[in-house]
């Protein structure tokens, strides 16, 4: 048969196209392929174009067969004319399947024809190079395109952002003749992801039009950049503007609320979701609510949501629930949930075992943690990542098995990061092991020279050993390197307003006088109940009287006093602290919960402490 002779009618070709489009499985497609080759239908440009479009979808990553089909088609016809509907599909497939060399060859074929003037094909070539991360080649293609439409500009901006070339993407965006919402949303999202939230905000505020994607990009960006307050404010503005939030917007704002640690707004959003009949199965809604309630101290509500989706749980829902239980120090409950997960035939992933190892670490379940670390590797074939090793080192270190923890670091299949060394250093501080602590600190500081916590942990280790000269030397190094210590900050929410208490920060004269008076009253009453300030927690070389004074201005004590003044009798006091709670504040909080009959739910940087009736949920293991 000659290259241009097709013995069957146009109706036959249309029927063949329809048959290909109805195909739903790779096995069916291959059977149809055989019949089309037999009747010489496949090499009609229209039929072949549809076949090439469907083939990658059903065949997955079978790049070789897809490109072989295209090559056979070109060889049979002898030229590219009539294949313009096949080319975009093949180019897209090259971009998705890492087919750089094949893509270059097809690009060369296009340059020999008039197709390089076709915007659809030119945009496909551009997107292919961007998908392959070849930003410089894509830039040259973009600049030499005879005609650039809005798709060309948007592809260039989105591709550069995806490849991390944010500056170039922004320059392209600035000279774009007509910006649409697609390019604007891509730019807002890209600026947020590279940490330029101020530029994203400037762009956002000057927009004449915003859709739900624009608002969601701002919300998720603030969450990503660790500014949850701004994320919550933008969400409120979004509601006031009349834009209804979709599932991604709600998931992101729930993440912001979880970071802040107070559930009032989250409860309102939960009611909003119920009023609007939004399914918890949508996206990651169930996981987001479980995480939010868990991180806000309401583990009971998180469990209720988890139970309500009992027949529809995905692995992410199990992981969120186990992570929440672990954060509350409920180690046994976490392990029980894993066993239930196994009964339900749900396969765990690496996040599952991260939650389990954290739970074991916070509950002192050393043997169980070692068992599960071995189990993930041997039974479930999940290769441990550096975070899993970090949890294992923390597990052993908290239990005082510092030599074992150090040996794990030496035997890790990857280089330890600063978090691994800091985990060992924290354990050395707890168990007062100076030699190992110094070694861990030097490695941590080398890897993260601007991380103040590395220096502070080492300084505290020296202070506990009363090596004040070494403490002074650490402070001098921090000053020389312009490393600033993060001050302790505790937050408490009263009537929907978050109040922050920062050591050394003035609260306002009236507020300060009231809180200081209440704190003095509480301290005096607790002393009558047996409270004695733990002066060993003051890690500076000062007189005993001054040490007690320094303990009295710890941020969580100020937050507790503020809660006692402003909350109704018996109402729980929810506190979020940015650092680890000290031993003295821990004892203080236990006594307050018994004497003043207020439950205190305190979240520090590591875990939750639930103080009730004079005891704590951590069982003195934290």
């Amino acid at each position: 048969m000659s290259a241009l002779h097709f013995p069957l009618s146009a109706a036959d070709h249309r029927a063949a196209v329809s048959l290909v489009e109805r195909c739903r499985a790779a096995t069916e497609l291959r059977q149809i392929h055989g019949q089309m080759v037999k009747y010489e239908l496949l090499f009609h440009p229209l039929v072949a174009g549809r076949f090439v479009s469907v083939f990658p979808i059903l065949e997955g990553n079978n790049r070789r067969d897809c490109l072989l089909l295209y090559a056979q088609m070109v060889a049979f016809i002898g030229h590219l004319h009539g294949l313009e509907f096949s080319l975009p599909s093949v180019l897209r497939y090259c971009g998705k399947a890492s087919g750089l060399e094949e893509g270059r060859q097809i690009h060369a074929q296009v340059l020999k024809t008039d197709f390089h003037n076709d915007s659809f094909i030119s945009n496909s070539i551009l997107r292919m190079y961007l998908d392959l991360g070849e930003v410089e080649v894509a830039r040259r293609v973009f600049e030499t395109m005879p005609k650039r439409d809005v798709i060309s500009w948007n592809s260039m901006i989105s591709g550069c952002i995806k490849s991390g070339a944010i500056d170039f993407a922004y320059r392209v965006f600035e000279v774009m003749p007509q910006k649409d919402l697609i390019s604007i949303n891509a730019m807002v999202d890209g600026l947020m992801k590279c940490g330029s939230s101020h530029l994203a905000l400037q762009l956002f505020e000057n927009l004449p039009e915003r859709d739900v994607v624009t608002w969601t990009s701002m919300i998720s960006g603030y969450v990503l950049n660790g500014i949850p307050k701004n994320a919550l404010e933008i969400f409120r503005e979004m509601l006031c503007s009349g834009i209804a939030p979709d599932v991604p917007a709600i998931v992101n704002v729930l993440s912001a609320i979880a970071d802040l640690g107070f559930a009032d707004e989250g409860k309102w959003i939960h009611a909003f979701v119920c009023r609007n009949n939004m399914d918890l199965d949508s996206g990651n809604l169930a996981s987001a609510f479980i995480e939010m309630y868990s991180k806000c101290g309401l583990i009971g509500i998180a469990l209720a949501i988890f139970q309500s989706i009992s027949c529809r749980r995905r692995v992410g829902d199990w992981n969120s629930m186990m992570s929440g239980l672990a954060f509350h120090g409920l180690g046994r409950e976490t392990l029980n949930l894993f066993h239930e997960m196994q009964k339900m035939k749900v396969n765990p992933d690496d996040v599952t075992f991260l939650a389990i190892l954290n739970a074991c670490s916070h509950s002192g379940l050393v043997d169980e943690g070692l068992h599960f670390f071995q189990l993930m590797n041997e039974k479930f074939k999940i290769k441990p990542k550096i975070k899993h090793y970090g949890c294992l080192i923390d597990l052993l270190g908290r239990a005082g098995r510092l030599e074992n923890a150090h040996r794990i670091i030496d035997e890790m299949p990857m280089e330890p990061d600063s978090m691994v060394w800091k985990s060992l250093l924290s354990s050395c501080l707890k168990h007062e092991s100076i030699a190992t602590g110094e070694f861990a600190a030097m490695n941590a500081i080398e890897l993260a020279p601007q991380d103040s916590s590395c220096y502070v942990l080492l300084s505290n280790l020296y202070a506990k050993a009363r090596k004040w000269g070494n403490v002074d030397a650490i402070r001098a190094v921090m000053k020389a390197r312009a490393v600033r210590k993060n001050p302790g900050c505790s937050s408490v929410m009263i009537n929907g307003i978050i109040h922050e208490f920062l050591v050394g920060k003035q609260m306002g004269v009236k507020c300060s006088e009231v809180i200081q008076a209440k704190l003095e009253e509480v301290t005096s009453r607790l002393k009558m109940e047996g409270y004695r300030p733990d002066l060993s927690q003051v890690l500076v070389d000062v007189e005993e009287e001054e040490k007690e004074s320094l303990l009295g201005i710890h941020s969580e004590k100020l937050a507790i006093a503020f809660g006692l003044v402003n909350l109704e009798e018996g109402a729980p006091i929810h506190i979020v602290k940015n650092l680890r709670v000290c031993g003295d504040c821990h004892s203080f909080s236990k006594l307050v919960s018994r004497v003043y009959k207020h439950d205190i739910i305190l979240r520090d940087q590591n875990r939750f402490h639930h103080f009730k009736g004079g005891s704590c949920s951590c069982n003195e293991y934290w």
Side-chain angles (χ1 to χ4, degrees):
M1 187 180 75
S2 66
L4 296 177
H5 176 63
F6 298 100
L8 300 180
S9 69
D12 293 320
H13 298 141
R14 286 196 295 272
V17 169
S18 177
L19 188 61
V20 171
E21 289 176 341
R22 290 201 305 270
C23 196
R24 293 291 179 267
T27 52
E28 294 176 5
L29 191 68
R30 289 191 174 278
Q31 289 174 4
I32 294 169
H33 175 260
Q35 291 299 310
M36 288 185 175
V37 170
K38 179 179 178 180
Y39 292 106
E40 299 181 337
L41 269 170
L42 183 63
F43 301 110
H44 186 284
L46 184 63
V47 180
R50 293 309 302 145
F51 203 91
V52 170
S53 298
V54 172
F55 195 91
I57 298 171
L58 297 182
E59 281 287 343
N61 290 323
N62 195 342
R63 186 180 82 196
R64 179 181 173 278
D65 283 359
C66 181
L67 293 174
L68 182 61
L69 172 64
Y70 170 77
Q72 288 173 344
M73 187 170 61
V74 173
F76 187 85
I77 297 175
H79 51 70
L80 298 185
H81 294 294
L83 302 183
E84 55 267 34
F85 297 108
S86 306
L87 283 167
S89 297
V90 178
L91 289 164
R92 182 169 59 251
Y93 192 66
C94 288
K96 300 297 182 187
S98 302
L100 176 59
E101 188 54 41
E102 294 89 341
R104 281 175 173 162
Q105 291 176 25
I106 296 170
H107 185 192
Q109 289 175 337
V110 169
L111 291 174
K112 296 175 183 178
T113 69
D114 291 334
F115 288 160
H116 68 277
N117 293 317
D118 186 312
S119 295
F120 196 46
I121 294 173
S122 295
N123 286 333
S124 298
I125 292 170
L126 178 64
R127 278 196 299 268
M128 176 196 71
Y129 283 121
L130 289 167
D131 285 340
L132 292 165
E134 296 287 330
V135 176
E136 186 57 32
V137 179
R139 183 185 64 80
R140 292 198 296 270
V141 170
F142 179 74
E143 290 176 349
T144 57
M145 288 173 71
K147 182 182 177 183
R148 289 180 289 208
D149 57 17
V150 69
I151 296 173
S152 315
W153 289 91
N154 286 342
S155 295
M156 196 68 209
I157 291 167
S158 300
C160 288
I161 289 170
K162 184 179 177 182
S163 299
I166 303 295
D167 291 341
F168 183 65
Y170 195 59
R171 290 199 298 272
V172 172
F173 177 78
E174 285 185 313
V175 298
M176 184 177 179
Q178 282 188 306
K179 302 173 178 67
D180 63 2
L181 267 175
I182 295 174
S183 55
I184 290 168
N185 291 341
M187 204 64 247
V188 169
D189 186 57
L191 288 170
M192 278 296 193
K193 284 178 178 174
C194 75
S196 299
S197 56
H198 60 293
L199 288 176
L201 181 60
Q202 286 177 14
L203 177 58
F204 177 79
E205 289 178 335
N206 293 322
L207 293 178
E209 181 186 3
R210 301 162 183 161
D211 64 4
V212 68
V213 178
T214 323
W215 289 95
T216 303
S217 295
M218 289 296 296
I219 295 166
S220 63
Y222 278 128
V223 172
L224 181 67
N225 286 285
I227 320 174
K229 278 187 178 179
N230 291 17
L232 195 52
E233 287 171 8
I234 287 286
F235 181 76
R236 290 169 182 156
E237 286 181 34
M238 178 185 180
L239 295 175
C240 292
S241 73
I243 299 289
D246 59 5
V247 170
I250 291 173
V251 167
N252 277 286
V253 80
L254 287 174
S255 182
I257 294 167
D259 288 345
L260 289 169
F262 302 105
D264 287 11
E265 298 267 5
K267 289 178 178 178
W268 182 89
I269 292 171
H270 194 173
F272 174 87
V273 166
C274 293
R275 282 197 308 272
N276 288 276
N277 297 316
M278 297 176 75
D279 197 338
L280 287 179
D281 286 343
S282 301
N284 297 314
L285 257 186
S287 294
F289 273 114
I290 291 167
E291 180 187 23
M292 183 274 294
Y293 280 120
S294 296
K295 287 190 174 181
C296 291
L298 303 176
I299 194 69
I301 300 179
L303 275 166
I305 291 174
F306 181 75
Q307 295 298 338
S308 74
I309 57 168
S310 58
C311 298
R312 310 182 303 277
R313 296 174 192 150
R314 291 171 288 190
V315 65
D317 303 320
W318 291 91
N319 290 346
S320 293
M321 194 67 252
M322 282 191 277
S323 296
L325 291 169
F327 201 41
H328 285 261
L330 300 170
R332 290 293 178 191
E333 290 82 349
T334 306
L335 300 188
N336 290 340
L337 199 61
F338 176 78
H339 294 312
E340 184 183 338
M341 181 184 185
Q342 290 296 282
K343 289 178 184 176
M344 298 290 288
K345 309 291 186 188
V346 179
N347 290 325
D349 59 16
D350 61 312
V351 179
T352 311
F353 285 97
L354 204 58
I356 290 170
L357 292 170
N358 268 316
C360 292
S361 180
H362 288 308
S363 303
L365 305 174
V366 179
D367 291 339
E368 291 85 345
L370 292 170
H371 166 71
F372 277 101
F373 187 84
Q374 185 177 14
L375 195 70
M376 70 177 288
N377 201 10
E378 294 182 358
K379 180 179 178 180
F380 294 99
K381 308 303 178 187
I382 298 173
K383 190 176 181 180
K385 298 178 180 177
I386 195 162
K387 285 187 176 181
H388 297 98
Y389 281 100
C391 287
L392 186 62
I393 290 156
D394 187 58
L395 171 75
L396 294 168
R398 284 175 187 269
R401 294 164 63 168
L402 299 177
E403 288 185 10
N404 290 357
H406 198 172
R407 188 171 64 250
I408 293 291
I409 295 176
D410 291 337
E411 295 174 354
M412 280 167 51
M414 70 282 288
E415 288 295 317
D417 60 10
S418 63
M419 294 302 296
V420 165
W421 289 113
K422 276 203 299 181
S423 181
L424 180 61
L425 176 55
S426 296
S427 299
C428 290
L429 175 61
K430 179 180 179 180
H431 297 285
E432 301 183 28
S433 176
I434 293 178
T436 305
E438 284 177 326
F439 183 75
M442 291 304 108
N443 281 282
I445 289 170
E446 183 180 352
L447 291 168
Q450 292 301 307
D451 184 349
S452 64
S453 62
C454 303
Y455 301 89
V456 172
L457 286 168
L458 180 58
S459 175
N460 291 347
L461 181 63
Y462 285 138
K464 270 196 168 185
R466 306 186 70 79
K467 293 189 173 187
W468 303 115
N470 293 37
V471 171
D472 291 339
I474 293 296
R475 287 177 180 162
V477 171
M478 290 180 70
K479 185 176 181 180
R481 297 181 179 179
V483 178
R484 296 181 59 131
K485 176 185 175 183
N486 291 328
C489 177
S490 294
S491 304
V492 60
M493 179 177 274
I494 306 290
N495 297 324
I497 301 172
I498 296 175
H499 302 268
E500 291 184 344
F501 297 89
L502 192 67
V503 173
K505 181 181 178 182
Q506 291 295 324
M507 294 176 281
V509 177
K510 185 177 180 181
C511 180
S512 179
E513 289 176 355
V514 171
I515 300 308
Q516 288 293 348
K518 184 65 177 179
L519 189 53
E520 288 173 12
E521 173 214 309
V522 171
T523 304
S524 297
R525 185 173 173 185
L526 294 187
K527 282 182 176 179
M528 289 190 289
E529 298 289 335
Y531 168 65
R532 294 292 177 268
D534 184 359
L535 303 183
S536 69
Q537 299 295 314
V538 181
L539 301 174
V540 291
D541 189 16
V542 294
E543 298 297 326
E544 300 291 289
E545 186 176 338
E546 190 175 349
K547 284 186 178 182
E548 185 170 344
S549 177
L550 289 171
L551 282 175
I553 60 169
H554 277 199
S555 62
E556 52 266 65
K557 288 181 181 175
L558 296 171
I560 288 171
F562 187 81
L564 292 173
V565 168
N566 290 282
L567 288 169
E568 294 180 3
E569 186 176 347
I573 304 173
H574 288 257
I575 298 170
V576 176
K577 184 175 181 181
N578 65 331
L579 304 175
R580 182 181 182 273
V581 63
C582 78
D584 178 70
C585 289
H586 194 269
S587 301
F588 183 90
S589 301
K590 284 196 298 182
L591 270 175
V592 168
S593 72
R594 177 169 64 82
V595 173
Y596 286 85
K597 295 180 171 56
H598 280 267
D599 289 0
I600 299 173
I601 303 166
L602 189 153
R603 186 183 97 184
D604 70 9
Q605 68 175 2
N606 294 324
R607 58 167 297 154
F608 268 98
H609 297 266
H610 292 254
F611 301 98
K612 184 174 183 177
S615 62
C616 179
S617 61
C618 73
N619 296 317
E620 308 305 312
Y621 194 90
W622 87 95

